[in-house]
Amino acid sequence: MKVFSKHMLGCFFFFVVHAIAAQTNWDRKIETALPEILKKHRELVSIPNVSSNTADMMKNVAWITDAFTNIDFKVSLLETTTLPVVLAEKTVNPKAKTILFYLHLDGQAVNPHKWNQENPFQPVLKAQDAKGSWQPLDWSKIEGTIDPEWRVFGRAAADDKAPIIMLLAALEFMKHASQELSYNVKIIFDLQEETRSEGFLSTLETYKNNYAADYMIIMDGPAHPSNVPTLTFGCRGVATCNITLYGAKLPQHSGHYGNYAPNPVFAMSHLLASMKDTSGKVSIANFYEGIPLDTVTQNLLARVPDNEEAIKKSLGIAQSDAVGATYQESLQYPSLNVRHIETSWKGPGLKTIIPEVVTAYLDIRLVKETDGAAQLEKIKKHIASQGYFILDRTPTDAERLLHEKIATVTSNPGINAFRTEVHSPIGIQLRKALTDAFGTSPVIIRTMGGTVPITPAIQVLDIPAIIVPMVNMDNNQHNPNENIRIGNISQGIKMCLAILAMKLED
């Protein structure tokens, strides 16, 4: 592959791409420009981006500001209760429709000792050897033939700096090819997504007009494991519930009081077991109420190219829960999960005691048809039906002597789910754009299992939102050795070009 300096690359785009803009061969042009794009990605990933370090985050802001100003975007910093929100805007016509793109600049914290490289913020180019291990490559390798299976390892290499580079590269291609947008573009860069987007969410009322748009595209998260272009039309919400049961007032010697002082751990085991049957279905009354899956929806779910046996093998399970017939179907229902159980003793080693208290920490993944507060109320009613006197505080001595079964229940309704209809105008146009670009229909995910922290923004701003995930599923997101597959960078740029070329219709 021929190597271009930045000056030569610019000339190449202006004189050659402009001449054939109407019939642009983006694959060829992405391949030619890929070394320079990877250098930009390396440069951005090299700036540490843990949001607790304000100075580092402002270096990221400066990089983004320069990059998007250079392609004729107006870049503003919107003040929040914490770190600012970066808003980049390009208005082609005040009367045209507007798409609000959402990306985030921050990354998860790192433990350098768990990484297979010296510094998680010094990106390393790697190739997989015959034994499946990832071996470092010299960065000069990108000046030759680039293997799409190579990967760049570094914190935020995938989540979420790869999508930023993909969108930036696509916009640069369009500028050099003199291809105009047909709609207005706004881009939010959130500096605290990994810590629940506190700053951005605090601005929703103040900057509602700044964020106003017809549609929202969220460029975050991994694509389908097949790496086929993917569109995700919703995500589950999450609510939490903590249940505490009691035994004696203090921990008791298991010899002196075994068979006499009740052990609350056994009581908790019975209570939790009453909430689910042996097939994994929730037994709480009306927990799945109002969630019909019609034939159209079932057919849509069935078209997702999941390999059920491969999923089970990767999880190391012989049988999945029976809530849904398939993985995709299971995500269409609310879930009930015990995420942690603890007793009073938390020190090293074991003690022969009867615990005086046990707490189970639960989370409930919500779907569009369910409300967090309503699901939590169903859980409380179920606990009461098991004979428990329910409090939202620690019981008094008098209450302990009066009630045989006491439960302290505290809860948080959390974030409700969102889902945009697959056959909505923006859904239809995105599917067509990607189908035209790649010659095959994208994978359509009706609802993904996780929860996007910015879901409240979608609800407050009242914008139809679709997630366009572009990084490889096995990117080790949030974990040591986070990485991005180079083939996904190329494909992501092409996806962005297809989306940017859309002619939005009502």
mmCIF file of all heavy atoms in Angstrom, residues 437-477:
data_model
loop_
_atom_site.group_PDB
_atom_site.id
_atom_site.type_symbol
_atom_site.label_atom_id
_atom_site.label_comp_id
_atom_site.label_asym_id
_atom_site.label_seq_id
_atom_site.Cartn_x
_atom_site.Cartn_y
_atom_site.Cartn_z
ATOM 1 N N ALA A 437 -25.321 0.024 0.939
ATOM 2 C CA ALA A 437 -23.863 0.160 1.034
ATOM 3 C C ALA A 437 -23.159 -1.187 1.058
ATOM 4 O O ALA A 437 -22.074 -1.340 0.485
ATOM 5 C CB ALA A 437 -23.495 0.965 2.281
ATOM 6 N N PHE A 438 -23.777 -2.179 1.703
ATOM 7 C CA PHE A 438 -23.091 -3.458 1.904
ATOM 8 C C PHE A 438 -23.675 -4.602 1.093
ATOM 9 O O PHE A 438 -23.136 -5.709 1.105
ATOM 10 C CB PHE A 438 -23.099 -3.817 3.392
ATOM 11 C CG PHE A 438 -22.227 -2.913 4.228
ATOM 12 C CD1 PHE A 438 -22.743 -1.763 4.816
ATOM 13 C CD2 PHE A 438 -20.879 -3.184 4.396
ATOM 14 C CE1 PHE A 438 -21.948 -0.925 5.574
ATOM 15 C CE2 PHE A 438 -20.075 -2.354 5.151
ATOM 16 C CZ PHE A 438 -20.608 -1.213 5.736
ATOM 17 N N GLY A 439 -24.783 -4.350 0.427
ATOM 18 C CA GLY A 439 -25.365 -5.392 -0.406
ATOM 19 C C GLY A 439 -26.102 -6.467 0.355
ATOM 20 O O GLY A 439 -26.513 -7.477 -0.218
ATOM 21 N N THR A 440 -26.268 -6.289 1.635
ATOM 22 C CA THR A 440 -27.006 -7.240 2.462
ATOM 23 C C THR A 440 -27.634 -6.488 3.616
ATOM 24 O O THR A 440 -27.120 -5.456 4.055
ATOM 25 C CB THR A 440 -26.072 -8.354 2.989
ATOM 26 O OG1 THR A 440 -26.855 -9.337 3.685
ATOM 27 C CG2 THR A 440 -25.032 -7.798 3.950
ATOM 28 N N SER A 441 -28.733 -7.002 4.102
ATOM 29 C CA SER A 441 -29.452 -6.323 5.180
ATOM 30 C C SER A 441 -28.658 -6.397 6.482
ATOM 31 O O SER A 441 -28.027 -7.416 6.783
ATOM 32 C CB SER A 441 -30.820 -6.977 5.372
ATOM 33 O OG SER A 441 -31.527 -6.348 6.427
ATOM 34 N N PRO A 442 -28.668 -5.316 7.277
ATOM 35 C CA PRO A 442 -27.979 -5.369 8.570
ATOM 36 C C PRO A 442 -28.696 -6.289 9.546
ATOM 37 O O PRO A 442 -29.869 -6.621 9.364
ATOM 38 C CB PRO A 442 -28.046 -3.908 9.044
ATOM 39 C CG PRO A 442 -29.263 -3.346 8.381
ATOM 40 C CD PRO A 442 -29.321 -4.016 7.042
ATOM 41 N N VAL A 443 -27.971 -6.713 10.573
ATOM 42 C CA VAL A 443 -28.592 -7.454 11.665
ATOM 43 C C VAL A 443 -29.461 -6.476 12.453
ATOM 44 O O VAL A 443 -29.012 -5.380 12.811
ATOM 45 C CB VAL A 443 -27.524 -8.078 12.590
ATOM 46 C CG1 VAL A 443 -28.174 -8.706 13.819
ATOM 47 C CG2 VAL A 443 -26.717 -9.121 11.833
ATOM 48 N N ILE A 444 -30.692 -6.862 12.705
ATOM 49 C CA ILE A 444 -31.618 -6.006 13.432
ATOM 50 C C ILE A 444 -31.815 -6.565 14.834
ATOM 51 O O ILE A 444 -32.329 -7.675 15.014
ATOM 52 C CB ILE A 444 -32.983 -5.907 12.708
ATOM 53 C CG1 ILE A 444 -32.794 -5.360 11.293
ATOM 54 C CG2 ILE A 444 -33.949 -5.046 13.503
ATOM 55 C CD1 ILE A 444 -32.198 -3.974 11.220
ATOM 56 N N ILE A 445 -31.404 -5.798 15.831
ATOM 57 C CA ILE A 445 -31.589 -6.168 17.233
ATOM 58 C C ILE A 445 -32.729 -5.324 17.787
ATOM 59 O O ILE A 445 -32.622 -4.100 17.860
ATOM 60 C CB ILE A 445 -30.310 -5.934 18.062
ATOM 61 C CG1 ILE A 445 -29.117 -6.669 17.434
ATOM 62 C CG2 ILE A 445 -30.521 -6.343 19.508
ATOM 63 C CD1 ILE A 445 -29.221 -8.166 17.460
ATOM 64 N N ARG A 446 -33.828 -5.962 18.154
ATOM 65 C CA ARG A 446 -34.990 -5.214 18.656
ATOM 66 C C ARG A 446 -34.686 -4.564 20.001
ATOM 67 O O ARG A 446 -35.006 -3.395 20.223
ATOM 68 C CB ARG A 446 -36.185 -6.160 18.791
ATOM 69 C CG ARG A 446 -37.495 -5.475 19.195
ATOM 70 C CD ARG A 446 -38.616 -6.498 19.167
ATOM 71 N NE ARG A 446 -39.910 -5.903 19.398
ATOM 72 C CZ ARG A 446 -40.635 -6.083 20.506
ATOM 73 N NH1 ARG A 446 -40.134 -6.819 21.504
ATOM 74 N NH2 ARG A 446 -41.830 -5.535 20.642
ATOM 75 N N THR A 447 -34.065 -5.309 20.880
ATOM 76 C CA THR A 447 -33.712 -4.808 22.212
ATOM 77 C C THR A 447 -32.425 -5.473 22.657
ATOM 78 O O THR A 447 -32.325 -6.699 22.618
ATOM 79 C CB THR A 447 -34.807 -5.121 23.245
ATOM 80 O OG1 THR A 447 -36.014 -4.462 22.879
ATOM 81 C CG2 THR A 447 -34.402 -4.638 24.635
ATOM 82 N N MET A 448 -31.453 -4.695 23.075
ATOM 83 C CA MET A 448 -30.235 -5.308 23.609
ATOM 84 C C MET A 448 -30.375 -5.465 25.119
ATOM 85 O O MET A 448 -31.199 -4.816 25.765
ATOM 86 C CB MET A 448 -29.006 -4.472 23.261
ATOM 87 C CG MET A 448 -28.824 -3.207 24.041
ATOM 88 S SD MET A 448 -27.252 -2.391 23.605
ATOM 89 C CE MET A 448 -27.138 -1.171 24.919
ATOM 90 N N GLY A 449 -29.570 -6.338 25.671
ATOM 91 C CA GLY A 449 -29.734 -6.695 27.064
ATOM 92 C C GLY A 449 -29.309 -5.636 28.061
ATOM 93 O O GLY A 449 -29.903 -5.497 29.130
ATOM 94 N N GLY A 450 -28.266 -4.872 27.729
ATOM 95 C CA GLY A 450 -27.733 -3.894 28.668
ATOM 96 C C GLY A 450 -28.545 -2.611 28.720
ATOM 97 O O GLY A 450 -29.544 -2.442 28.013
ATOM 98 N N THR A 451 -28.096 -1.686 29.556
ATOM 99 C CA THR A 451 -28.781 -0.415 29.756
ATOM 100 C C THR A 451 -27.856 0.729 29.389
ATOM 101 O O THR A 451 -26.727 0.796 29.871
ATOM 102 C CB THR A 451 -29.222 -0.258 31.224
ATOM 103 O OG1 THR A 451 -30.051 -1.358 31.579
ATOM 104 C CG2 THR A 451 -29.988 1.041 31.435
ATOM 105 N N VAL A 452 -28.315 1.612 28.520
ATOM 106 C CA VAL A 452 -27.540 2.791 28.139
ATOM 107 C C VAL A 452 -27.810 3.889 29.170
ATOM 108 O O VAL A 452 -28.974 4.247 29.389
ATOM 109 C CB VAL A 452 -27.929 3.277 26.733
ATOM 110 C CG1 VAL A 452 -27.166 4.534 26.367
ATOM 111 C CG2 VAL A 452 -27.657 2.179 25.702
ATOM 112 N N PRO A 453 -26.767 4.441 29.809
ATOM 113 C CA PRO A 453 -26.992 5.447 30.858
ATOM 114 C C PRO A 453 -27.772 6.670 30.390
ATOM 115 O O PRO A 453 -28.417 7.347 31.196
ATOM 116 C CB PRO A 453 -25.568 5.837 31.278
ATOM 117 C CG PRO A 453 -24.712 4.702 30.869
ATOM 118 C CD PRO A 453 -25.348 4.127 29.647
ATOM 119 N N ILE A 454 -27.708 6.961 29.083
ATOM 120 C CA ILE A 454 -28.351 8.187 28.606
ATOM 121 C C ILE A 454 -29.812 7.973 28.217
ATOM 122 O O ILE A 454 -30.428 8.858 27.624
ATOM 123 C CB ILE A 454 -27.586 8.792 27.413
ATOM 124 C CG1 ILE A 454 -27.605 7.821 26.220
ATOM 125 C CG2 ILE A 454 -26.192 9.193 27.807
ATOM 126 C CD1 ILE A 454 -27.329 8.496 24.906
ATOM 127 N N THR A 455 -30.384 6.814 28.560
ATOM 128 C CA THR A 455 -31.798 6.584 28.260
ATOM 129 C C THR A 455 -32.694 7.715 28.759
ATOM 130 O O THR A 455 -33.631 8.113 28.059
ATOM 131 C CB THR A 455 -32.254 5.232 28.845
ATOM 132 O OG1 THR A 455 -31.486 4.191 28.225
ATOM 133 C CG2 THR A 455 -33.719 4.988 28.584
ATOM 134 N N PRO A 456 -32.456 8.289 29.958
ATOM 135 C CA PRO A 456 -33.292 9.419 30.379
ATOM 136 C C PRO A 456 -33.263 10.580 29.385
ATOM 137 O O PRO A 456 -34.271 11.286 29.222
ATOM 138 C CB PRO A 456 -32.677 9.829 31.721
ATOM 139 C CG PRO A 456 -32.058 8.584 32.242
ATOM 140 C CD PRO A 456 -31.527 7.879 31.035
ATOM 141 N N ALA A 457 -32.136 10.782 28.708
ATOM 142 C CA ALA A 457 -32.054 11.862 27.719
ATOM 143 C C ALA A 457 -32.979 11.579 26.545
ATOM 144 O O ALA A 457 -33.655 12.484 26.035
ATOM 145 C CB ALA A 457 -30.615 12.019 27.234
ATOM 146 N N ILE A 458 -33.041 10.320 26.115
ATOM 147 C CA ILE A 458 -33.930 9.947 25.015
ATOM 148 C C ILE A 458 -35.363 10.239 25.396
ATOM 149 O O ILE A 458 -36.164 10.749 24.598
ATOM 150 C CB ILE A 458 -33.753 8.448 24.677
ATOM 151 C CG1 ILE A 458 -32.317 8.185 24.216
ATOM 152 C CG2 ILE A 458 -34.746 7.996 23.620
ATOM 153 C CD1 ILE A 458 -31.961 6.719 24.151
ATOM 154 N N GLN A 459 -35.713 9.957 26.659
ATOM 155 C CA GLN A 459 -37.079 10.151 27.113
ATOM 156 C C GLN A 459 -37.411 11.632 27.316
ATOM 157 O O GLN A 459 -38.479 12.097 26.921
ATOM 158 C CB GLN A 459 -37.294 9.344 28.398
ATOM 159 C CG GLN A 459 -37.188 7.837 28.142
ATOM 160 C CD GLN A 459 -36.934 7.008 29.382
ATOM 161 O OE1 GLN A 459 -36.538 7.530 30.423
ATOM 162 N NE2 GLN A 459 -37.134 5.702 29.280
ATOM 163 N N VAL A 460 -36.488 12.386 27.893
ATOM 164 C CA VAL A 460 -36.732 13.816 28.126
ATOM 165 C C VAL A 460 -36.788 14.585 26.811
ATOM 166 O O VAL A 460 -37.660 15.438 26.603
ATOM 167 C CB VAL A 460 -35.646 14.417 29.046
ATOM 168 C CG1 VAL A 460 -35.760 15.940 29.098
ATOM 169 C CG2 VAL A 460 -35.758 13.835 30.448
ATOM 170 N N LEU A 461 -35.851 14.283 25.912
ATOM 171 C CA LEU A 461 -35.798 14.992 24.636
ATOM 172 C C LEU A 461 -36.856 14.478 23.655
ATOM 173 O O LEU A 461 -37.116 15.129 22.640
ATOM 174 C CB LEU A 461 -34.406 14.857 24.016
ATOM 175 C CG LEU A 461 -33.248 15.437 24.842
ATOM 176 C CD1 LEU A 461 -31.914 15.145 24.172
ATOM 177 C CD2 LEU A 461 -33.423 16.935 25.063
ATOM 178 N N ASP A 462 -37.444 13.328 23.963
ATOM 179 C CA ASP A 462 -38.515 12.755 23.149
ATOM 180 C C ASP A 462 -38.076 12.584 21.696
ATOM 181 O O ASP A 462 -38.715 13.069 20.766
ATOM 182 C CB ASP A 462 -39.774 13.632 23.236
ATOM 183 C CG ASP A 462 -41.006 12.914 22.679
ATOM 184 O OD1 ASP A 462 -41.001 11.668 22.662
ATOM 185 O OD2 ASP A 462 -41.952 13.608 22.262
ATOM 186 N N ILE A 463 -36.939 11.889 21.537
ATOM 187 C CA ILE A 463 -36.365 11.679 20.209
ATOM 188 C C ILE A 463 -36.358 10.187 19.888
ATOM 189 O O ILE A 463 -35.890 9.383 20.704
ATOM 190 C CB ILE A 463 -34.900 12.182 20.145
ATOM 191 C CG1 ILE A 463 -34.801 13.640 20.564
ATOM 192 C CG2 ILE A 463 -34.335 12.020 18.740
ATOM 193 C CD1 ILE A 463 -33.373 14.154 20.603
ATOM 194 N N PRO A 464 -36.836 9.771 18.700
ATOM 195 C CA PRO A 464 -36.638 8.380 18.295
ATOM 196 C C PRO A 464 -35.139 8.093 18.215
ATOM 197 O O PRO A 464 -34.409 8.802 17.521
ATOM 198 C CB PRO A 464 -37.293 8.318 16.912
ATOM 199 C CG PRO A 464 -38.224 9.486 16.859
ATOM 200 C CD PRO A 464 -37.575 10.548 17.690
ATOM 201 N N ALA A 465 -34.684 7.084 18.939
ATOM 202 C CA ALA A 465 -33.241 6.811 19.033
ATOM 203 C C ALA A 465 -32.929 5.396 18.578
ATOM 204 O O ALA A 465 -33.685 4.455 18.842
ATOM 205 C CB ALA A 465 -32.758 7.013 20.460
ATOM 206 N N ILE A 466 -31.809 5.263 17.881
ATOM 207 C CA ILE A 466 -31.327 3.959 17.423
ATOM 208 C C ILE A 466 -29.835 3.869 17.734
ATOM 209 O O ILE A 466 -29.091 4.841 17.532
ATOM 210 C CB ILE A 466 -31.579 3.770 15.918
ATOM 211 C CG1 ILE A 466 -33.089 3.744 15.642
ATOM 212 C CG2 ILE A 466 -30.933 2.472 15.412
ATOM 213 C CD1 ILE A 466 -33.453 3.696 14.181
ATOM 214 N N ILE A 467 -29.423 2.716 18.231
ATOM 215 C CA ILE A 467 -28.011 2.484 18.522
ATOM 216 C C ILE A 467 -27.362 1.872 17.279
ATOM 217 O O ILE A 467 -27.879 0.913 16.714
ATOM 218 C CB ILE A 467 -27.845 1.547 19.728
ATOM 219 C CG1 ILE A 467 -28.520 2.151 20.970
ATOM 220 C CG2 ILE A 467 -26.371 1.275 20.011
ATOM 221 C CD1 ILE A 467 -28.624 1.189 22.138
ATOM 222 N N VAL A 468 -26.247 2.464 16.862
ATOM 223 C CA VAL A 468 -25.478 1.924 15.742
ATOM 224 C C VAL A 468 -24.128 1.464 16.299
ATOM 225 O O VAL A 468 -23.173 2.237 16.368
ATOM 226 C CB VAL A 468 -25.288 2.964 14.626
ATOM 227 C CG1 VAL A 468 -24.510 2.354 13.456
ATOM 228 C CG2 VAL A 468 -26.639 3.476 14.136
ATOM 229 N N PRO A 469 -24.042 0.202 16.740
ATOM 230 C CA PRO A 469 -22.785 -0.309 17.306
ATOM 231 C C PRO A 469 -21.853 -0.737 16.181
ATOM 232 O O PRO A 469 -22.280 -1.353 15.214
ATOM 233 C CB PRO A 469 -23.249 -1.506 18.136
ATOM 234 C CG PRO A 469 -24.460 -2.006 17.413
ATOM 235 C CD PRO A 469 -25.110 -0.811 16.758
ATOM 236 N N MET A 470 -20.561 -0.429 16.308
ATOM 237 C CA MET A 470 -19.649 -0.702 15.196
ATOM 238 C C MET A 470 -18.377 -1.438 15.580
ATOM 239 O O MET A 470 -17.598 -1.822 14.717
ATOM 240 C CB MET A 470 -19.298 0.621 14.493
ATOM 241 C CG MET A 470 -20.499 1.298 13.860
ATOM 242 S SD MET A 470 -20.106 2.848 12.998
ATOM 243 C CE MET A 470 -19.719 3.936 14.383
ATOM 244 N N VAL A 471 -18.130 -1.622 16.864
ATOM 245 C CA VAL A 471 -16.886 -2.292 17.264
ATOM 246 C C VAL A 471 -17.126 -3.784 17.430
ATOM 247 O O VAL A 471 -18.260 -4.244 17.554
ATOM 248 C CB VAL A 471 -16.313 -1.692 18.567
ATOM 249 C CG1 VAL A 471 -16.098 -0.194 18.410
ATOM 250 C CG2 VAL A 471 -17.220 -1.973 19.764
ATOM 251 N N ASN A 472 -16.047 -4.568 17.406
ATOM 252 C CA ASN A 472 -16.148 -6.017 17.537
ATOM 253 C C ASN A 472 -16.653 -6.407 18.923
ATOM 254 O O ASN A 472 -16.297 -5.806 19.929
ATOM 255 C CB ASN A 472 -14.785 -6.681 17.281
ATOM 256 C CG ASN A 472 -13.630 -5.969 17.960
ATOM 257 O OD1 ASN A 472 -13.304 -4.836 17.600
ATOM 258 N ND2 ASN A 472 -13.003 -6.623 18.935
ATOM 259 N N MET A 473 -17.493 -7.445 18.951
ATOM 260 C CA MET A 473 -18.089 -7.899 20.210
ATOM 261 C C MET A 473 -17.026 -8.299 21.229
ATOM 262 O O MET A 473 -17.161 -8.045 22.430
ATOM 263 C CB MET A 473 -19.046 -9.075 19.940
ATOM 264 C CG MET A 473 -19.638 -9.707 21.190
ATOM 265 S SD MET A 473 -20.758 -8.616 22.100
ATOM 266 C CE MET A 473 -22.248 -8.771 21.100
ATOM 267 N N ASP A 474 -15.942 -8.921 20.762
ATOM 268 C CA ASP A 474 -14.898 -9.408 21.679
ATOM 269 C C ASP A 474 -13.825 -8.352 21.905
ATOM 270 O O ASP A 474 -12.627 -8.640 21.887
ATOM 271 C CB ASP A 474 -14.280 -10.706 21.150
ATOM 272 C CG ASP A 474 -13.660 -10.545 19.762
ATOM 273 O OD1 ASP A 474 -13.937 -9.528 19.094
ATOM 274 O OD2 ASP A 474 -12.894 -11.430 19.347
ATOM 275 N N ASN A 475 -14.251 -7.130 22.198
ATOM 276 C CA ASN A 475 -13.290 -6.026 22.338
ATOM 277 C C ASN A 475 -12.798 -5.834 23.776
ATOM 278 O O ASN A 475 -12.033 -4.922 24.047
ATOM 279 C CB ASN A 475 -13.901 -4.720 21.818
ATOM 280 C CG ASN A 475 -15.035 -4.212 22.695
ATOM 281 O OD1 ASN A 475 -14.817 -3.569 23.706
ATOM 282 N ND2 ASN A 475 -16.260 -4.496 22.293
ATOM 283 N N ASN A 476 -13.248 -6.689 24.695
ATOM 284 C CA ASN A 476 -12.860 -6.572 26.119
ATOM 285 C C ASN A 476 -13.254 -5.218 26.705
ATOM 286 O O ASN A 476 -12.547 -4.655 27.543
ATOM 287 C CB ASN A 476 -11.357 -6.790 26.316
ATOM 288 C CG ASN A 476 -10.941 -8.207 26.022
ATOM 289 O OD1 ASN A 476 -11.741 -9.133 26.097
ATOM 290 N ND2 ASN A 476 -9.684 -8.395 25.656
ATOM 291 N N GLN A 477 -14.399 -4.738 26.276
ATOM 292 C CA GLN A 477 -14.924 -3.455 26.761
ATOM 293 C C GLN A 477 -14.970 -3.442 28.283
ATOM 294 O O GLN A 477 -15.462 -4.366 28.909
ATOM 295 C CB GLN A 477 -16.332 -3.285 26.184
ATOM 296 C CG GLN A 477 -17.028 -1.991 26.503
ATOM 297 C CD GLN A 477 -18.371 -1.910 25.776
ATOM 298 O OE1 GLN A 477 -18.533 -2.419 24.682
ATOM 299 N NE2 GLN A 477 -19.335 -1.269 26.398
#
